[in-house]
Amino acid sequence: MAKSRQHFSSQDSSMSPPAGRSREWEGPSRWAEYLGPQMTPPTTSRSSRNAGPDGQVQSLGSSQKGLNMKWVVQLNEVAEGLMAKMYRLNQILDYPDPVGHVFTEAFWKAGVFPNHPKICILLSKKFPEHFSKLQLERADKVALDAMHDSAELHLQSLEPWVQLLLDLMAFREQALRLILDLSSTVITLLPHQNSLILHAFMDLFCSFVRVNLFSEKIPRKMVLQIYNLLHAMSNNDRDCDFYHRLVQFIDSYDPPLKGLQEDLNFVSPRIGEVLEAVGPVIFLSTDTRKLRNEGFLSPYHPRYPDILTNSAHPMRAQDLANVTSYREWVLFGYLVCPDELLRVTSIDIAMVVLKENLVLTLFRDEYLHLHEDYLLYVLPRILESKKMAKSGRTKQKEADLEYSVAKQVEKMISEVHEQALVSCDFIHRERRILLKQEIGRMVFFFTDQPSLLAPNIQMVFSALCFAQSEVIWYFQHVGIASSKSKTARMVPVDIDPSDPTVGFLLDGIDRLCCLVRKYIAAIRGYALSYLSSCAGRIRFLLGTPGMVALDLDAGLKGLLQQIVQHLENIPKPQGENISAITCDLSDFRKDWLTILMIVTSSRSSINIRHLEKATVSTGKEGLLSEGNAAYNWSRCVDELESQLSKHGSLKKLYFYHQHLTAVFRNTMFGPEGRPQHCCAWLGVASSFPECSSPIVPEEVTKIGRDAVLYVESLIESIMGGLEGLINILDSEGGFGALENQLLPEQAASYINHASKVSIPSTKSPKLSASFPLPGHESYPENNSSIKMLEAAMQRLTNLCSVLNDMEPICVLNHVFVLREYMRECILGNFRRRLLAVLKTDNDLQRPSVLESLIRRHIGIVHLAEQHISMDLTQGIREVLLTEAFSGPVSSLHLFDKVTEQHTGSAAEAVCNWYIENIIKDISGAGILFAPIHKCFKSTRPVGGYFADSVADLRELQAFVRIFGGYGVDRLDRLLKEHTAALLNCIDTSLRSNREVLEAIAGSLHSGDRIEREASMKQIVDVDTLIEFCVQAGLALAFDGFLAEAAGAVLEEGAPLMYSLLAEVVKHVPDEIPEKKEIRRLKGVTNSIGVVCDHDSQWVRSVLEEVGGANDGSWSLLPYLFATFMASNVWNTTAFNVETGGFNNNIHCLARCISAVIAGSEFVRLEREHWQRQSFSNGHVGETLDSEIQSRLSAEASIKSTLQLFVKFSAGIILDSWSETNRSHLVAQIIFLDQLCEISPYLPRSSLELHVPYAILRSIYSQYYANSPSTLLALLSVSPRHSPAVSLAHGSPVVRQGRGDSTPQYIANDSGYFKGSSSYSQEHLYDNDSGNLRGTENKHRNVRRSGPLDYSSSRKVKHVEGSTSGSTGPSPLPRFAVSRSGPISYK
């Protein structure tokens, strides 16, 4: 170390004469890379926290011996650039440990050093030994040869980092000389006398210490040793020119603290004076009680609230803005100047600062363990002083005091680490709570009284700086682990990562900065007014006798006059044009700093003390006080934004952005989190790119990318919290708890339980049932849950309001608009919730329940929408539309069949579920169609529900309301595809069995029973074909329900549209073939259930789409269906009075037969028409007549075909009856009766020709007599569900006379008995009867089989109703006097 000191002395002496200065002291040209264009004269600093950077200073020439402050500013910038380079090198090398020689795999792969660890580490460990003395061949001969071969390449990679070492050496020499010059020439460095130059000096001092401490973290020794080895390999074993100088420099700073303590020994007394002078401000900053009680950070006096401007402690309050710098001065000052701790007052100052800090920040997020370094490098010097004082105790009395102080300092340093580990977090938490309260009051006060913001702007800066310091301290210490020297183990620091005060501080800083920016014109106006008044005061002071008596030289007098002129030339603010005033006061600040440098220099004949004595006797502020105040206020005119950035910027938090994200997630949605804080957390990122250093270009990209990722991460968390709030409200414990309704079975269970329990103590609903009852939330014990709901609603609305009003977040070229993110979040969450509630744990959610859940969620969205300036309702509609139909709307304009279906995922899932589980019954739940109840039932649950809970009219209406016409179209399309496949099976069977069916037809017409039975046995898989036809009938029934549900929803939502379609379809001409427009219109009306014959029209459209029924084999269709009567299926078929159908859905076969025969006949006749038209000569009249005849012939053909089927079926049924085999007879007869009822083309009387109605009456009487409760229920239902059998049917041919060619049938009207006697047969086709039958045209497809109730009371009621409600003769009951009894089935 002695060598290093001697070397520095020689360097210093050689540089003293101007002619002998080395290359490193040539001024700005030496540091052009670090300073950049913005630092060329005139100079303005970007980051210094003192007065020096804010002005520019020119040299005064030979007449004045003042220092040029430009050097101080520029060396601070150089220090920043050097540390940025070292930081970058550390990043590239994966943060090595040069002291412990620990290097990772990434270190060797970084490309800076040769990948030969043995040689590199050996050279580093043996530093400063020359490589020639280390016998490297023995260490790794192969590696040495490889290095020799690629020496030039490695030299190039090490060149910039060796240059960095040279720059560090030059910086050390220049900065140290400047520090010594300032220390020796400036008269006073006390903060209340010369604060501007003091800050410049101490900033340079701290930068000098930081750079040299940071240099220990880079592998200096390895860089130099490897470079010299490679240089020698390339230059005939000759060392590089600067090798020995760099060895001495690195060795003298190994470790850096020892070199710093020796180098700065000369300035130690001045540092001690400064630290003692700033002690009171540091003590004040730690006394939270005094700060609060005395109102140092309050714009009004705490004890006298009426005094709005708190002028009790103006200077001390302003000085609090520098307390962060003061603390750093103390930590660095006593670390490198340990002898100053032996001052009497220093121990308390050091104790306060050391107790509240654990780390010493060097640069960005690089730090030293503070207490370890004090123990290692400060304590030995104190012990040495203690030893010297003890040995000198007998010689001088002062030694006793020195010994006592040294002993106290030793104790303090030894114990303060333990105290800091325990108390530092508590101290800072108390300070954060104070700042939270004070800044909150400040924001509230200045928002209410903005006119007082400008006079208190310095106090605002103090509060901002205080809060900035606390926030940065918090994140610097999160996750820090400190080692105790005695136990040598790492102890994690207990920093609470969920402290909500951090969010309050960030929000307070953000809101204060926003207030300053909002009223920036008022602040500038106030500052201009102050400077204008200051000009008069300074001119007065310059004219006082004391100043006149001073013999000022021309240069200083001219500068003082320039100061006055600058202030007098300031434009006067007038009216509202303050913001338009452009005023550059940099020349004023430059001249004032020049004056300060002259009068504070020991080489000047007129110094600061002379000026104070000459002007302070006036009883007012002295000249220097006025000038310094004007200097500070001038910065509020043209540098207010930079001032605000300096005190309120949180750009350093970039280096802790991962901790920021973690703390945000822990606090934002915690019990004390505030939604409005998220603005501040996000706004921090805007300043992150300012952390990048221009000397490391790649940092801009990396920091910008990290800032964008940080914002995106926070937005993701915010939106996750927003979703969470919505989902809390949308849960069963949220609004769901307020919507409890008892299902009928739950109500029955509750009533049964209540009737059994009569003990008074069990009257509480909660005790008597396992499910919550409506109104349970009103009980006192449920208050907490209601309060939770209210809190969630409040937080949701607040968050939406805050996000809606938040300004866009700008990070480089990225702009984040939170309002748009919020919209996407709410709509995306709605879509996810929709898809989530679509299915339960077991299976599909009931559509009615799904609808209620959707409405509940939409209600919550509407609650949020009240606080958002955008239309979320439209977005909800778009989501629902997307989930129902995902294709372009233009594809809906074409009625042709599209090749690709654009169905939304939700609608697709629901539709597929219905097809698979209801129509196909893949789960084997035993799906049954119940005509009476107009629903589907199941013997076992389908998923989580029985079929009647998901497939009745009410549920289908809910389905239509959710997915609209798009969902109806998709479900209809799936039903058609499934039915088309089943019809294809019929077509295949017809083709394959054509010859057999022709034989059967011949035998049926000839009455050859033997041949018929033999032929029928040749038809294979009849049972399978019946099953397919039953499925087709099931699909027909389901689609009928779907159309009815769609019609009901349309009538409710758009009644005019519904009535228009219902009326128009009555007047649409019936033509064969139909025009394209007519076909489209009928397709639309068929889908909402307003046409007369839904089933046949639907089957007709299916056959037309797939090209079915296109050959002659379909003429054999009734014979194929007639063979079904000989199937074994009927042996297990039984009629169910409860459902109005059969136990195996065979009643759906009747629906299928009726629809398929009618639909195929329409298709056949249309095909024949086109064939005739192709051969015709185009006579229009003939064509029109043929169209009318085609329609009439179609209906007649359908009727005859169905009658043919009934005739042959009845024949097969009765022929197969015998005493031993008659179990199938009843089911088959009821089946034929239901077919006659279902088909609008088949008169009910058709069956009477083959099966006497007395038999039917006996069958129904026996069924309904055995279930009186069911009969009672049936008698009370609406007329549409009446089981009465209609015995009359009008001919379709005669109905043409009414202008309504749609097939008609008698509606079930309670006032009209639809019976027929032999007397009334001749009136079957009367116009009056026909007109009456058309009164309920649209309901004829819902007629149901039922008993013929011929009791006397029923008969009289119907006859009377008939007499009063009809215009024709009253039909009498056909079997009123019948005495036929039921058939015995023993």
Side-chain angles (χ1 to χ4, degrees), residues 967-998:
V968 173
D969 288 346
R970 180 55 182 161
L971 189 49
D972 181 75
R973 170 58 51 192
L974 291 176
L975 288 168
K976 283 184 176 179
E977 290 174 358
H978 177 63
T979 306
L982 297 173
L983 294 179
N984 186 55
C985 296
I986 296 176
D987 183 69
T988 304
S989 181
L990 285 170
R991 293 173 186 269
S992 60
N993 298 299
R994 181 165 186 166
E995 295 180 358
V996 178
L997 290 173
E998 289 175 349

Side-chain angles (χ1 to χ4, degrees), residues 1007-1237:
D1008 190 343
R1009 177 177 178 181
I1010 298 174
E1011 181 183 353
R1012 182 193 69 200
E1013 291 180 351
S1015 299
M1016 288 191 340
K1017 290 179 181 178
Q1018 297 179 29
I1019 300 179
V1020 294
D1021 295 333
V1022 174
D1023 292 349
T1024 304
L1025 188 59
I1026 291 175
E1027 183 180 349
F1028 289 160
C1029 292
V1030 168
Q1031 272 198 32
L1034 205 64
L1036 283 165
F1038 192 90
D1039 194 78
F1041 282 176
L1042 182 64
E1044 187 176 347
V1049 173
L1050 182 63
E1051 187 176 15
E1052 178 185 359
L1056 292 178
M1057 181 63 70
Y1058 179 84
S1059 61
L1060 175 66
L1061 290 172
E1063 293 302 321
V1064 165
V1065 74
K1066 295 178 181 179
H1067 305 284
V1068 170
D1070 290 321
E1071 300 173 349
I1072 295 181
E1074 294 172 337
K1075 294 180 181 179
K1076 189 175 182 180
E1077 293 76 11
I1078 300 297
R1079 185 177 302 175
R1080 290 180 179 179
L1081 180 60
K1082 285 192 174 181
V1084 172
T1085 54
N1086 198 34
S1087 65
I1088 60 172
V1090 294
V1091 296
C1092 60
D1093 186 14
H1094 170 274
D1095 292 356
S1096 61
Q1097 295 293 336
W1098 195 72
V1099 170
R1100 176 184 179 182
S1101 65
V1102 173
L1103 291 173
E1104 288 174 347
E1105 286 180 5
V1106 300
N1110 56 1
D1111 66 349
S1113 61
W1114 279 78
S1115 61
L1116 301 172
L1117 189 62
Y1119 305 103
L1120 176 64
F1121 286 154
T1123 60
F1124 292 174
M1125 297 298 108
S1127 170
N1128 294 325
V1129 171
W1130 301 100
N1131 295 331
T1132 57
T1133 301
F1135 181 68
N1136 188 346
V1137 177
E1138 298 287 342
T1139 64
F1142 295 92
N1143 62 337
N1144 56 359
N1145 274 331
I1146 207 72
H1147 50 288
C1148 293
L1149 178 61
R1151 196 160 193 150
C1152 174
I1153 291 173
S1154 173
V1156 172
I1157 288 177
S1160 63
E1161 283 297 319
F1162 278 121
V1163 172
R1164 181 184 63 81
L1165 291 173
E1166 187 171 347
R1167 187 176 64 252
E1168 291 177 356
H1169 169 82
W1170 288 116
Q1171 291 174 355
R1172 286 196 307 271
Q1173 193 176 36
S1174 63
F1175 295 110
S1176 68
N1177 295 325
H1179 297 291
V1180 179
E1182 295 178 2
T1183 305
L1184 182 60
D1185 293 339
S1186 63
E1187 288 178 355
I1188 298 175
Q1189 293 302 321
S1190 296
R1191 178 67 190 184
L1192 298 176
S1193 62
E1195 294 183 353
S1197 177
I1198 294 169
K1199 178 179 178 181
S1200 63
T1201 305
L1202 287 171
Q1203 286 177 339
L1204 190 66
F1205 165 73
V1206 171
K1207 173 184 176 182
F1208 292 142
S1209 297
I1212 293 173
I1213 293 169
L1214 297 175
D1215 285 345
S1216 61
W1217 175 81
S1218 65
E1219 290 295 336
T1220 59
N1221 183 22
R1222 57 183 180 181
S1223 59
H1224 57 82
L1225 181 61
V1226 173
Q1228 290 174 324
I1229 291 176
I1230 294 177
F1231 169 81
L1232 291 179
D1233 181 59
Q1234 288 191 343
L1235 173 66
C1236 293
E1237 181 191 9

Side-chain angles (χ1 to χ4, degrees), residues 357-393:
N357 288 282
L358 294 171
V359 298
L360 180 57
T361 303
L362 298 178
F363 182 67
R364 297 180 176 176
D365 56 343
E366 293 286 351
Y367 62 88
L368 296 176
H369 285 288
L370 179 65
H371 298 279
E372 294 178 16
D373 286 344
Y374 265 79
L375 289 170
L376 288 175
Y377 301 106
V378 176
L379 187 59
R381 293 285 292 269
I382 300 300
L383 293 176
E384 183 181 347
S385 299
K386 175 184 170 184
K387 183 177 180 182
M388 291 178 62
K390 186 176 182 180
S391 63
R393 182 178 296 181

